[in-house]
């Protein structure tokens, strides 16, 4: 029997100071397709049984979630939790459920067993098709930059995809193991988004969390690929911290987050300069924004705050409506849940919602990988194409594929 707690849809506070050895990794090991797995720096969750689906109708999403949680309480479910994903287009159907049971443990990073290797990826003869082709993506970047120089907008995030097809069924548990063990301090997830479809990934970016009246957001914008050479890796990190182009891009996102949260918070803290965070493949400029919910917004849930933020300029651009239109005109695919939101929330308003990046949608023998880059007037097509290629590496390494 697992050392992790098993309480119907109840998420007790994690105790990172006294984690049970093997508790978090046991949930990772127990994941099976159809389950919902979510690991954050605060806790590890494994949900089973879609007890109630959040409906898709004309009501605001947060209102529908609140009503679904209330129905679960009325039906006798103790401390129900909503968990799942919201698409980039928040008017499209979400994949949110109130599961029958949720098992919880401390963060993966606090479990010593997470340091054990995941094992080699299964041998697969992957067929890889870029959509669009890198050259076409670069042309889209150049066209967007030209429009920015004409003053039409100031930033847009443009994405491209890789379609991977395998001759054998996908091994989702093995992919999840490799993603989680490579970056255990990040946000790793796998959850169903439709019949035989799974959203799986490892995001570095917290959109917003709420614990009591404390609010935290951690926008990331401005990135550079890591290097296997230590000296070069340090040089790239230092260069990113001084990059005028990347610091401007980052400042735009931080300001947008600040402006969106300010009506709900008092005592906000917004550092003047970003710091760096790293994943296995990328360096990112990072700013942690904190605040306290005002008395007027005391009832605002983590999801309410997430929807006030989504989409940030880090995944869309600015002005938002213009950037959305440029994305629709330039990207030859539907983003779906990519650059959406994934996370969990409780009826009391606490929760964590994460920006859905470094991810793929899996279906039978096919994976669609996504990667985007923030385009500003100083962007160069070759550099942005290379950045998206580096971002693909997170998932490519998890499935044993190479470009």
């Amino acid at each position: 029997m697992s050392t992790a707690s098993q309480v119907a849809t109840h998420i007790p506070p994690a105790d990172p100071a006294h984690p049970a050895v093997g508790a978090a990794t046991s949930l990772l090991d127990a994941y099976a397709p159809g389950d919902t797995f979510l690991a954050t720096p605060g806790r590890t969750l494994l949900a089973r049984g879609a007890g109630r689906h959040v409906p898709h109708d004309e009501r605001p999403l947060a209102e529908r979630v609140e009503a679904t949680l209330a129905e679960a309480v009325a039906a006798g479910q103790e401390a129900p939790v909503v968990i799942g994903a919201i698409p980039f287009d928040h008017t499209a159907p979400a994949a949110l459920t109130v599961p029958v049971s949720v098992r919880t443990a401390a963060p993966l990073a606090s479990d010593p067993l997470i340091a054990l290797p995941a094992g080699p990826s299964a041998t697969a003869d992957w067929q890889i098709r870029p959509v669009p082709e890198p050259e076409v993506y670069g042309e889209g970047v150049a066209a967007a930059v030209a429009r920015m120089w004409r003053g039409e907008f100031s930033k847009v995030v443009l994405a491209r995809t890789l379609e991977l097809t395998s001759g054998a069924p996908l091994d989702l548990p093995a992919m999840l193991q490799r993603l989680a063990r490579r970056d255990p301090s990040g946000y790793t997830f796998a959850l169903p988004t439709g019949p035989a479809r799974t959203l799986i990934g490892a995001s570095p970016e917290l959109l917003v969390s709420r614990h009591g009246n404390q609010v935290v957001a951690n926008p990331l914008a401005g990135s550079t690929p890591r290097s296997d050479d230590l000296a070069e890796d340090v040089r790239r990190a230092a260069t990113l911290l001084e990059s005028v182009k990347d610091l401007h891009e980052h400042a735009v996102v931080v300001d947008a987050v600040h402006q969106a949260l300010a009506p709900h918070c008092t005592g906000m803290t917004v550092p003047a300069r970003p710091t760096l965070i790293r994943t296995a493949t990328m360096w990112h400029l990072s700013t942690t924004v904190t605040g306290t919910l005002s008395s007027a917004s005391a009832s605002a849930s983590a999801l309410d705050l997430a929807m006030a933020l989504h989409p940030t300029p880090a995944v869309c651009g600015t002005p938002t409506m213009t950037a959305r239109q440029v994305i629709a005109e330039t990207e030859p695919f539907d983003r779906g849940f990519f650059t959406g939101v994934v996370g969990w929330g409780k009826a009391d308003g606490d929760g964590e919602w994460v920006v859905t990046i470094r991810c793929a949608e899996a279906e039978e023998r096919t994976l669609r990988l996504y990667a985007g880059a923030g385009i500003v007037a100083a962007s160069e097509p070759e550099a942005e194409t290379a950045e998206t290629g580096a971002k693909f590496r997170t998932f490519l390494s998890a499935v044993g594929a190479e470009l």
Side-chain angles (χ1 to χ4, degrees):
M1 182 173 179
S2 168
T3 55
S5 58
Q6 168 110 38
V7 181
T9 60
H10 177 58
I11 299 183
D15 183 7
H18 301 92
V21 173
T25 50
S26 72
L27 298 187
L28 177 62
D29 295 341
Y31 167 79
D35 295 342
T36 293
F37 178 88
L38 176 61
T40 79
R43 69 201 72 241
T44 305
L45 311 175
L46 180 67
R48 283 184 171 153
R52 296 174 185 273
H53 292 275
V54 175
H56 179 66
D57 56 39
E58 70 283 352
R59 294 174 295 170
L61 179 59
E63 184 178 324
R64 285 179 270 141
V65 167
E66 182 180 4
T68 306
L69 287 167
E71 291 169 5
V73 171
Q77 194 167 350
E78 182 183 354
V81 175
V82 66
I83 190 167
I86 300 162
F88 172 66
D89 178 2
H90 60 80
T91 65
L96 295 170
T97 64
V98 177
V100 172
S101 68
V102 178
R103 296 165 61 189
T104 72
L108 280 176
S110 70
D111 188 337
L113 299 185
I114 197 64
L116 297 175
S121 58
T123 302
D125 184 18
W126 292 106
Q127 295 182 348
I128 302 178
R129 184 172 77 96
V131 179
E133 292 287 343
E135 296 78 10
V136 176
Y137 177 78
E139 291 169 0
V141 171
V145 167
R147 293 178 64 177
M148 279 184 263
W149 279 108
R150 293 198 296 269
E152 295 183 36
F153 54 95
S154 57
K155 177 183 176 180
V156 65
V157 177
L158 294 179
R160 63 188 183 103
T161 73
L162 296 178
E163 293 183 355
L164 276 63
T165 304
S166 171
L170 303 178
D171 188 346
L172 294 177
M175 293 180 198
L176 184 65
Q177 286 277 349
R178 292 175 65 82
L179 288 168
R181 292 178 185 275
R182 192 174 194 195
D183 281 313
S185 61
Y187 301 86
T188 305
F189 51 89
L191 55 97
T193 54
R197 288 203 309 274
T198 299
L199 178 69
I200 182 170
S203 174
E205 184 171 2
L206 172 69
L207 180 62
V208 68
S209 69
R210 192 199 106 162
H211 180 69
N213 64 356
Q214 298 303 300
V215 175
V216 178
N218 184 205
L220 309 181
S223 307
T224 194
R226 300 284 307 275
S227 173
D228 293 332
D229 178 80
L230 178 59
E232 174 62 15
D233 196 43
V234 172
R235 188 196 68 79
R236 291 183 185 184
T239 299
L240 180 61
L241 271 176
E242 300 300 327
S243 166
V244 174
K245 176 254 186 188
D246 289 290
L247 288 170
H248 170 70
E249 179 186 345
H250 187 80
V252 168
V253 176
V254 172
D255 182 63
V257 169
H258 183 193
Q259 294 301 319
L261 292 179
H264 303 282
C265 294
T266 60
M268 292 194 69
T269 300
V270 184
R273 284 186 62 85
T275 57
L276 288 173
I277 69 166
R278 63 184 180 185
T279 68
T281 59
M282 301 294 296
W283 286 104
H284 298 283
L285 293 177
S286 166
T287 295
T288 299
V289 178
T290 60
T292 301
L293 284 176
S294 65
S295 56
S297 295
S299 62
S301 68
L303 183 58
D304 286 318
L305 300 174
M307 298 316 294
L309 289 165
H310 178 61
T312 72
V315 297
C316 181
T318 186
T320 302
M321 293 305 296
T322 304
R324 278 187 177 276
Q325 185 61 37
V326 174
I327 289 168
E329 294 169 355
T330 307
E331 296 178 356
F333 53 85
D334 183 347
R335 286 192 178 187
F337 291 93
F338 171 64
T339 60
V341 185
V342 62
W344 65 272
K346 298 194 297 183
D348 65 4
D350 284 1
E352 295 175 285
W353 297 95
V354 179
V355 182
T356 315
I357 52 178
R358 310 295 187 276
C359 65
E361 287 201 280
E363 186 171 8
E364 296 180 350
R365 303 185 181 201
T366 301
L367 281 172
R368 169 167 274 190
L369 281 57
Y370 299 86
I375 312 304
V376 294
S379 293
E380 298 177 354
E382 297 81 5
E384 305 300 345
T385 303
E387 179 178 318
T388 54
K391 290 174 177 176
F392 281 132
R393 286 169 49 201
T394 295
F395 219 100
L396 290 171
S397 65
V399 300
E402 294 183 5
L403 279 175

